Structures are given as structure tokens and as C-alpha cells.
Amino acid sequence: MMKEKILCCLLAVMLIISCTACGSGTDTTSQMDADSSETSSAEEETSVEEEPVEDEGPSDEDLVLAVENIKEAEDLINSMAATQLDHWSKYSNIMKWYFDDEEYMNAVGDSATIKRAEQLHEDRTDASEKLSEAKELMGTSGTGDYYDSVKSYYLLVKDYLSLVSTFPEGYSKLTFSSTVSDFNTDCQSAYNELEFYMD
């Protein structure tokens, strides 16, 4: 009888221990599942955050507008170069009025010369703004032959603007005229290539 009671007590204790073990095992498993779920969510969030946003680059319409701005800048520069050549002077102070935006503001003397210098300054500012607008339309992430051609045209016209915006140290009227002529030829060729894409 006593043995039966002891056995019953032992069985009851074993049952309690096994139930407790099963319960904590379930809790542990649940906790592990929750931790795993949180880790997966964090990894997904990280992967979403780390994915770079792809910039598709400028549209063809943007590139057409960019080319129009570059062409307008080129036309202004051609006009400036023609004025600079037509009124070329052996006096460096007058030449500085034509090439240096600050010099003409201090100019005194011939009002017609000063007026020309002022017009050159306005054209230079307009050409620079046109090129800035073109650059904004083009962006920096474009690809393809059309984009590359627009970029080449832009860089060429930008160099041309630099020529008519810098005092021509070391240039004679003849060498300056020759350089302008080379730019005209190169710009025309670049623009003609772009017309192939715009048709």
C-alpha cells in the first residue's frame, strides 16, 4: 500500500516535470520563431533600403530641348566672335572690354565701343545661361549614342564660349579668326550629327 502511494507520487512528480518541460519548450520555440521573424523583417527592410534608385537619365524630349539651348548658345557665341573680329584693336584696353566682363564696366571714352562691350557681356551671360539649362536637361546619367553626341556638342560649345570670354593673349586677329573658324566647323559637324537622331 505504501509502495503504491510512493509510486503514485513519483508518477505525479514526473508528470508535472514533463508538462513543465513541454511548456517551456513551446515557449522557447515560440520565442525562437519570433526572433527569427524579426530578423527576417529587419533583413528585408535593410535590403529595401539598400536598393539604389535607378536614374533612367534624360528622355529624348529633354535631349531635344538641350540641343536647342546649346544651338542658341552657339549662335550667340558666333555673333560675339564676329563683333570681336570686326572691331579688333591693337589697344589691349579696348580688347579687354570685349573679352572681360568686369573691364567694360570701368570703360571710359568712345561710347560706341562701350556699347559694343556691353552687348558682348549680355550675349555672354545669355549663352552661359543657355548652356546651364542644357546641362540641367541632360543630367549626368544618360547613356546611348544620342546622349553621347549631345554631350560632345555641349562640351564643344562650352569651349567655344571660353574662347570668346578670355582675353586673347598671344592671338593676332588672324589666329583668332582661324580658331573661330575651326570652332564653327566643328560645331556645325556636331550639330549635323545630332540632326540624324532628331529626325
Side-chain angles (χ1 to χ4, degrees):
M1 181 78 133
M2 188 70 160
K3 285 182 184 180
E4 289 175 4
K5 285 185 181 180
I6 292 172
L7 280 174
C8 283
C9 284
L10 282 173
L11 279 173
V13 169
M14 287 177 69
L15 269 172
I16 292 169
I17 290 172
S18 66
C19 285
T20 306
C22 286
S24 68
T26 305
D27 289 348
T28 305
T29 306
S30 298
Q31 184 61 40
M32 286 174 62
D33 288 345
D35 289 347
S36 173
S37 174
E38 286 175 15
T39 304
S40 302
S41 297
E43 284 174 1
E44 283 173 16
E45 284 175 18
T46 305
S47 65
V48 168
E49 287 172 9
E50 288 176 0
E51 273 185 32
V53 177
E54 289 186 22
D55 186 355
E56 296 177 3
S59 66
D60 285 353
E61 291 78 13
D62 286 338
L63 291 176
V64 167
L65 289 172
V67 171
E68 287 175 5
N69 279 305
I70 298 168
K71 179 63 176 154
E72 287 176 27
E74 182 198 344
D75 291 342
L76 286 165
I77 297 166
N78 283 333
S79 175
M80 291 165 61
T83 300
Q84 289 165 334
L85 284 165
D86 287 345
H87 300 283
W88 194 272
S89 171
K90 61 181 180 178
Y91 299 108
S92 65
N93 64 323
I94 291 176
M95 293 306 293
K96 283 181 182 176
W97 297 348
Y98 295 156
F99 285 88
D100 190 322
D101 286 339
E102 292 179 11
E103 286 290 330
Y104 92 91
M105 295 180 193
N106 303 321
V108 290
D110 182 9
S111 61
T113 302
I114 295 169
K115 197 74 177 160
R116 274 193 295 274
E118 186 177 6
Q119 185 60 55
L120 287 166
H121 166 74
E122 289 173 6
D123 289 348
R124 191 176 292 117
T125 301
D126 289 345
S128 183
E129 286 173 358
K130 292 290 180 190
L131 288 177
S132 293
E133 288 171 21
K135 186 176 182 183
E136 192 173 323
L137 286 162
M138 288 164 51
T140 55
S141 59
T143 56
D145 292 342
Y146 185 24
Y147 178 83
D148 290 342
S149 296
V150 175
K151 184 177 178 183
S152 295
Y153 182 43
Y154 166 83
L155 292 172
L156 183 61
V157 173
K158 189 170 183 240
D159 286 344
Y160 191 10
L161 177 61
S162 181
L163 175 73
V164 298
S165 305
T166 308
F167 181 71
E169 194 76 54
Y171 280 100
S172 67
K173 183 176 182 179
L174 182 63
T175 56
F176 187 79
S177 176
S178 175
T179 305
V180 166
S181 179
D182 289 344
F183 268 111
N184 278 330
T185 301
D186 292 344
C187 287
Q188 187 60 52
S189 175
Y191 185 74
N192 289 344
E193 183 179 338
L194 285 166
E195 284 187 318
F196 171 79
Y197 294 105
M198 292 188 288
D199 286 343

